[in-house]
Amino acid sequence: MSKWVYFFGDGQAEGRADMKNLLGGKGANLAEMSSLGVPVPAGFTITTEVCTYYYENGETYPPDLKQQVMDNLARIETIMGAKFGDATNPLLVSVRSGARTSMPGMMDTVLNLGLNDTTVQGLIKLSGDARFAYDSYRRFVTMYSDVVLGVDHYHFEEILEALKEDKGYTLDTDVTADDWKHLVGVYKAKVHEQLGSPFPEDPVEQMWGSISAVFGSWMNQRAKTYRRLHHIPEHWGTAVNVQAMVFGNMGDTSATGVCFSRDPSTGENAFYGEYLVNAQGEDVVAGIRTPQNISIAGKEKNNSDLPAMEETMPEIYKELVGYRDRLEIHYKDMQDMEFTIQGGKLWMLQTRNGKRTAAAALKIAVDMCNEGLIDKETAILRVAPEHLDQLLHPTLDPDAPRTLLGHGLPASPGAASGQVVFTADEAEAWAQKGKKVILVRVETSPEDIGGMHVAQGILTTRGGMTSHAAVVARGMGVPCVAGAGEMRVDYRAKTLKVGDTVVNEGEIITLDGAKGEVFLGEVPTLQPELSGDFADLMLWADKVRRMKVRANAETAEDCATARKFGAEGVGLCRTEHMFFDPKRIIHIRQMILAEDEAGRRSALEHLLPYQRQDFVEVFNIMQGLPVTVRLLDPPLHEFLPHSDTEIADVAASAGVDAATVKSRVAMLQEANPMLGHRGCRLGITYPEVYEMQARAIFEAALEVSETSGETVLPEIMIPLVGSWKELEPMRALVDRVAEETFAAKGQRIAYHVGTMIELPRACIKAGRIAEHADFFSFGTNDLTQTTLGMSRDDSAPFLEVYAQKGIYPRDPFQSIDVEGVGEMVQIAAERGRKTRPDIKLGICGEHGGDPDSIHFCETVNLDYVSCSPYRVPIARLAAAQSVLLKGQEAEKDR
């Protein structure tokens, strides 16, 4: 018989922390905590394998699951000293999801399960508190109806708000026991009205309904969206955790909260968290009530007037600190913990490796290494490379003028400006039109995930540092100001109001997520200083990685940025970008319009000084590091004018009539220009173009070598080669120009000539092509297009559907298609090295900055990756992690 259910509780557990693939993160950690002797309410975990079975078998369960569940429910009853469904001593349980990796708020939960009109009387007798019992009952009816029965939550909110208004209540805590009892009846009547059937009274029926709802929520839209955004495979499934309830809403000696062993925003080694007295867990994360800080230091830092747990419950606070230390040392990582205090007794409900900002991840990794808790290799693996984006973008200029609109909590650091929108749908619609938006909500919910992802920043008027908005924004690296209570959102009027100031939809505001401040208009920003923890981690990573990291750069500014971020050369210098300056484009147009070679050479002579000076600047900034220069690649029509005014201007400067220019423009138009007269095809038909560029490169290299004393190493790259017969004459051309230039200048330098591999034929014939190439640089943007037969400019609408259907797990233009494009790269690498063992191999497409693609590059032993300047640190860290992960994979195979 298969084992579908694993028990934990009373210091014992059938699972372990390393079983998260089977038990999910929550279940594995509950088992681990129980084994450690941490006080965990007893429970059991239904495995992720049941989720897989459920969806593969028409949403049915394995035949032996029911008995295993009931057997383990009996074990909970024994340990907790209560019986499920009992009229006098009822056991209540929670039913929660638990995927392998944390998906906060994306799936469903049911609390207080097991209550009905009979068991609520037993709960009253046990607790001696009718208000607590009926408060728990109304919560259960609300949550079960919403999650399991599909009766929208707002029905119950409207009923509650009407009662509070009628009675003159302000807070939920003002509502009496009789009021709650009355509301339970009204709630159940609403369910009957909506469904045509009564609310279920049988606790066993309630439990199985909740289990099915949690498994069902794995495929809800918000979970699908979250998985897509975070690249979580659908086949992983979720586990379900059924656990005895403990109650934080049993009066003033009870509470519930969330805490972190270190600050998840800054990484500071300070106990950090929030709690609510007389509340249940969803009250904290939903932002319905203003939470209190657990520590006095946190209270002072957030300028709170509410008492801290350290003041109101000092002994329990000390116990909680003890578990914080114990769990962090055990897991050797920052922990995100949930707890409940019931009648003065502390229970730990969850621990997991906490989500954190990039700055916090860096600080925690470096600090823990310096504390001796982890080694440098572990520290390198702790920081997600893509999250470094959070550190490589602007912060507010401290000297810039600004108009403060209001304050909130610094929920997720970073600075962002954008136009105000009030719904997630509007955020997505505006973003698709190229607008930068700030999503403003009273509070966010899991349904807002799509809009949160596209927003530049998020502002909420309710909620704390552990609210949904705060947790999700930190995970996404999006600036967030939460709990801005002085602000009022009017969804109907589409306004944000602070005092007498009104901000309408579409107006611009700026968020400072690090300080929790909101400003009117756009505030200028500054680039961050990358030192301290960042510099330490990069130094450790550089000692581990094997691949070099270069940058795609052609301007002085790009090259300077690349050097600042640690680039070890330029892997792609696109020469065509240098031609669009107004002083130059006239000459390239004259060259294109010329009717013979002499006319083309005359125009190119005017371009030569400009091109040479471009390379002088690049070589000077790179200070002897290799620079790979790609000769002219795009089709010529891209340089020609299209409007009548531009055509007239070009005709006048070229000394021809407008009709001639129009004729030439029409003649150069191609049905499919990306597969047309471009790349080396231009060099073969107009060799004088490549001659001019090669001469400019060599003259600049000689000049910089002489004046700076640096050994300049130019690498000249011929694009779009599909046959050795194309590369051979182009290499001969470059070699000839080199010799002519060296002879004229009386000095020599070393140089390399190679090609860009971006066609499937080039991959297949790489052995022959390598006979004429010192290096290959894989242009994976075009290689993906030509291998898949897809345009990266036109494929986005259907690639979204492809990703959802699992045809391609990720957009192949963002992360390399390992099975197709990756195999092409591997074939070319193997065949190229067979011909020329010392050939240098690199990648210069957008994939050069994608961590997963970099991991692939390590597996095929490329020599370097090249990416945009701002992604250089990401690539450096990812390259180091690839070495470590490759080593771990090799160790597993032994």
Side-chain angles (χ1 to χ4, degrees):
M1 182 176 69
S2 297
K3 185 172 179 60
W4 304 110
V5 180
Y6 287 71
F7 186 79
F8 58 84
D10 197 26
Q12 345 163 23
E14 295 175 333
R16 303 181 308 275
D18 61 3
M19 295 172 65
K20 68 177 184 177
N21 289 0
L22 181 67
L23 303 179
K26 188 188 297 286
N29 287 329
L30 285 168
E32 189 80 0
M33 282 198 294
S34 186
S35 295
L36 290 171
V38 174
V40 174
F44 58 84
T45 300
I46 303 173
T47 69
T48 57
E49 291 178 346
V50 176
C51 187
T52 302
Y53 184 102
Y54 180 79
Y55 283 107
E56 288 180 350
N57 293 274
E59 299 187 2
T60 62
Y61 293 115
D64 47 351
L65 175 67
K66 183 173 183 180
Q67 188 59 52
Q68 290 186 35
V69 165
M70 299 311 292
D71 289 346
N72 280 279
L73 183 63
R75 294 178 70 179
I76 298 177
E77 292 173 335
T78 299
I79 289 173
M80 300 304 292
K83 189 169 180 61
F84 192 60
D86 189 76
T88 57
N89 185 22
L91 170 73
L92 303 186
V93 298
S94 63
V95 179
R96 301 174 186 264
S97 63
R100 290 190 201 183
T101 187
S102 176
M103 295 173 58
M106 296 303 112
M107 290 181 291
D108 290 329
T109 293
V110 178
L111 304 179
N112 305 303
L113 190 146
L115 280 171
N116 56 30
D117 290 343
T118 301
T119 57
V120 72
Q121 298 303 320
L123 190 61
I124 291 171
K125 290 176 183 175
L126 284 172
S127 65
D129 187 343
R131 188 191 180 284
F132 150 71
Y134 280 110
D135 178 29
S136 300
Y137 195 6
R138 67 94 187 179
R139 289 173 184 268
F140 169 61
V141 173
T142 301
M143 190 173 283
Y144 190 90
S145 299
D146 181 27
V147 168
V148 181
L149 303 179
V151 180
D152 286 336
H153 188 267
Y154 76 84
H155 289 297
F156 309 105
E157 284 297 308
E158 287 179 350
I159 293 169
L160 174 57
E161 289 303 317
L163 180 138
K164 286 163 68 175
E165 185 174 346
D166 183 55
K167 298 272 188 174
Y169 299 152
T170 303
L171 302 173
D172 289 2
T173 48
D174 297 331
V175 182
T176 68
D178 287 340
D179 293 329
W180 286 134
K181 181 179 181 180
H182 168 72
L183 279 178
V184 167
V186 178
Y187 284 1
K188 291 167 76 173
K190 174 59 72 173
V191 171
H192 201 161
E193 173 193 313
Q194 290 291 309
L195 301 180
S197 57
F199 186 89
E201 292 280 316
D202 180 3
V204 174
E205 178 187 347
Q206 294 171 357
M207 181 176 67
W208 283 104
S210 298
I211 290 170
S212 294
V214 173
F215 279 133
S217 70
W218 177 250
M219 298 300 288
N220 70 31
Q221 191 53 54
R222 64 178 185 265
K224 287 181 179 180
T225 300
Y226 189 91
R227 287 200 298 273
R228 177 172 53 81
L229 296 177
H230 294 270
H231 314 303
I232 298 170
E234 185 176 288
H235 70 264
W236 280 5
T238 182
V240 174
N241 298 286
V242 178
Q243 189 175 16
M245 282 292 300
V246 288
F247 300 96
N249 59 331
M250 286 186 72
D252 291 341
T253 60
S254 300
T256 189
V258 177
C259 58
F260 298 83
S261 60
R262 303 190 186 212
D263 190 316
S265 288
T266 66
E268 180 186 1
N269 189 1
F271 195 24
Y272 169 95
E274 297 171 328
Y275 80 112
L276 283 172
V277 174
N278 195 19
Q280 287 200 349
E282 71 268 22
D283 297 340
V284 179
V285 297
I288 295 168
R289 287 167 55 189
T290 302
Q292 298 162 238
N293 292 278
I294 59 169
S295 68
I296 295 171
K299 168 189 169 182
E300 293 172 348
K301 184 176 180 180
N302 290 303
N303 297 315
S304 174
D305 295 327
L306 300 172
M309 180 191 290
E310 190 176 359
E311 297 170 304
T312 59
M313 301 177 174
E315 293 305 315
I316 291 177
Y317 175 78
K318 288 179 185 176
E319 186 182 357
L320 186 61
V321 169
Y323 294 132
R324 168 241 186 175
D325 296 340
R326 188 172 174 188
L327 291 170
E328 182 175 274
I329 290 170
H330 179 75
Y331 283 99
K332 301 183 186 301
D333 201 355
M334 184 266 279
Q335 293 300 291
D336 170 0
M337 297 157 283
E338 295 178 11
F339 62 89
T340 285
I341 301 161
Q342 176 179 303
K345 177 175 174 56
L346 176 64
W347 294 91
M348 301 302 292
L349 305 183
Q350 174 173 285
T351 192
R352 60 188 174 194
N353 295 338
K355 291 186 179 295
R356 64 208 76 178
T357 64
L362 276 173
K363 181 168 179 57
I364 290 169
V366 173
D367 283 356
M368 284 188 168
C369 183
N370 292 334
E371 293 163 12
L373 198 58
I374 59 176
D375 58 24
K376 289 179 180 178
E377 292 187 351
T378 303
I380 290 168
L381 290 169
R382 280 285 166 82
V383 180
E386 57 271 23
H387 289 172
L388 291 182
D389 261 345
Q390 297 178 33
L391 303 179
L392 306 179
H393 295 289
T395 53
L396 294 185
D397 181 351
D399 299 323
R402 63 197 71 189
T403 302
L404 183 66
L405 180 65
H407 294 87
L409 297 173
S412 182
S417 298
Q419 294 176 273
V420 168
V421 295
F422 293 97
T423 70
D425 289 342
E426 287 168 340
E428 292 188 80
W430 287 37
Q432 286 175 0
K433 296 175 183 176
K435 296 181 179 181
K436 294 182 176 181
V437 299
I438 302 292
L439 178 61
V440 178
R441 303 285 290 160
V442 173
E443 57 189 345
T444 63
S445 70
E447 282 76 16
D448 294 328
I449 186 71
M452 296 172 75
H453 179 66
V454 300
Q456 303 297 308
I458 298 163
L459 170 63
T460 68
T461 59
R462 271 206 314 231
M465 297 288 283
T466 53
S467 65
H468 176 267
V471 171
V472 174
R474 282 198 295 269
M476 289 180 169
V478 175
C480 177
V481 175
E486 61 189 328
M487 301 184 181
R488 295 290 178 268
V489 170
D490 186 330
Y491 289 137
R492 185 169 297 176
K494 295 187 176 181
T495 60
L496 173 69
K497 189 173 182 181
V498 187
D500 295 329
T501 303
V502 177
V503 178
N504 295 296
E505 180 183 62
E507 293 185 27
I508 293 175
I509 62 172
T510 296
L511 306 183
D512 186 344
K515 295 183 179 179
E517 295 176 334
V518 185
F519 303 97
L520 287 171
E522 185 169 353
V523 180
T525 56
L526 292 176
Q527 296 296 335
E529 289 296 325
L530 301 175
S531 57
D533 296 328
F534 179 91
D536 288 344
L537 191 74
M538 287 293 106
L539 181 63
W540 300 344
D542 289 342
K543 289 180 178 178
V544 169
R545 67 182 165 89
R546 181 192 60 81
M547 287 188 294
K548 299 288 187 183
V549 176
R550 301 190 189 184
N552 300 339
E554 51 270 346
T555 67
E557 182 181 1
D558 284 345
C559 290
T561 301
R563 287 300 309 276
K564 180 177 75 171
F565 289 147
E568 295 161 300
V570 171
L572 176 61
C573 179
R574 306 173 181 90
T575 54
E576 62 270 8
H577 289 184
M578 301 169 172
F579 292 152
F580 285 98
D581 182 275
K583 294 178 182 178
R584 309 175 188 200
I585 197 166
I586 187 62
H587 300 301
I588 192 73
R589 286 171 170 172
Q590 287 172 347
M591 186 274 294
I592 296 169
L593 293 169
E595 296 182 357
D596 54 27
E597 181 180 334
R600 289 192 292 272
R601 288 190 179 277
S602 175
L604 290 167
E605 281 299 316
H606 288 93
L607 279 172
L608 177 62
Y610 292 116
Q611 187 92 107
R612 181 174 56 234
Q613 185 56 37
D614 290 329
F615 296 131
V616 166
E617 290 182 2
V618 170
F619 293 149
N620 270 322
I621 293 171
M622 299 315 293
Q623 297 180 346
L625 295 173
V627 176
T628 303
V629 180
R630 184 179 71 184
L631 301 186
L632 190 65
D633 181 49
L636 296 179
H637 76 87
E638 289 193 6
F639 299 101
L640 291 178
H642 298 285
S643 70
D644 289 341
T645 301
E646 285 183 312
I647 288 173
D649 290 343
V650 171
S653 61
V656 298
D657 57 36
T660 300
V661 177
K662 285 185 177 181
S663 174
R664 186 66 171 153
V665 169
M667 185 170 60
L668 288 173
Q669 289 298 324
E670 296 176 297
N672 195 341
M674 288 300 98
L675 299 178
H677 192 187
R678 55 168 287 213
C680 67
R681 300 160 192 172
L682 290 172
I684 289 170
T685 51
Y686 303 124
E688 54 274 12
V689 177
Y690 280 10
E691 286 178 17
M692 181 277 290
Q693 292 192 293
R695 194 175 310 281
I697 292 167
F698 289 124
E699 289 181 355
L702 291 170
E703 179 182 330
V704 172
S705 292
E706 184 176 9
T707 56
S708 70
E710 296 283 357
T711 302
V712 177
L713 179 60
E715 299 179 341
I716 298 175
M717 183 159 66
I718 312 298
L720 210 73
V721 165
S723 167
W724 66 271
K725 292 181 180 180
E726 292 173 309
L727 183 58
E728 183 184 41
M730 293 297 94
R731 170 148 204 159
L733 178 152
V734 172
D735 289 340
R736 174 174 56 79
V737 172
E739 292 303 321
E740 291 172 357
T741 308
F742 297 160
K745 299 293 184 181
Q747 55 179 316
R748 306 180 66 86
I749 57 166
Y751 67 94
H752 294 148
V753 179
T755 185
M756 201 171 196
I757 301 291
E758 47 199 326
L759 298 174
R761 191 181 196 280
C763 296
I764 293 168
K765 304 305 295 182
R768 289 300 306 273
I769 293 172
E771 295 173 4
H772 308 279
D774 301 319
F775 65 88
F776 287 167
S777 180
F778 292 96
T780 51
N781 298 343
D782 274 351
L783 185 57
T784 299
Q785 293 193 104
T786 55
T787 300
L788 301 183
M790 281 184 193
S791 164
R792 65 172 176 168
D793 298 318
D794 304 317
S795 58
F798 66 82
L799 275 178
E800 178 76 17
V801 178
Y802 268 47
Q804 292 172 1
K805 293 181 178 295
I807 297 173
Y808 292 119
R810 291 184 60 185
D811 182 339
F813 293 104
Q814 294 181 12
S815 190
I816 199 163
D817 165 39
V818 173
E819 292 183 356
V821 177
E823 188 164 348
M824 283 291 177
V825 171
Q826 188 166 5
I827 289 169
E830 290 172 353
R831 295 182 181 181
R833 284 180 173 134
K834 187 174 182 180
T835 296
R836 187 188 290 260
D838 63 345
I839 193 169
K840 188 186 297 183
L841 303 176
I843 184 174
C844 63
E846 289 301 310
H847 300 100
D850 169 63
D852 289 341
S853 302
I854 291 169
H855 183 55
F856 165 77
C857 293
E858 178 64 37
T859 65
V860 294
N861 293 311
L862 298 190
D863 297 300
Y864 69 88
V865 297
S866 187
C867 56
S868 67
Y870 277 96
R871 294 190 74 79
V872 166
I874 295 171
R876 289 166 64 192
L877 181 58
Q881 291 183 348
S882 297
V883 171
L884 298 175
L885 293 171
K886 189 177 179 181
Q888 290 178 0
E889 289 164 5
E891 190 66 31
K892 286 179 185 176
D893 292 338
R894 286 184 190 141

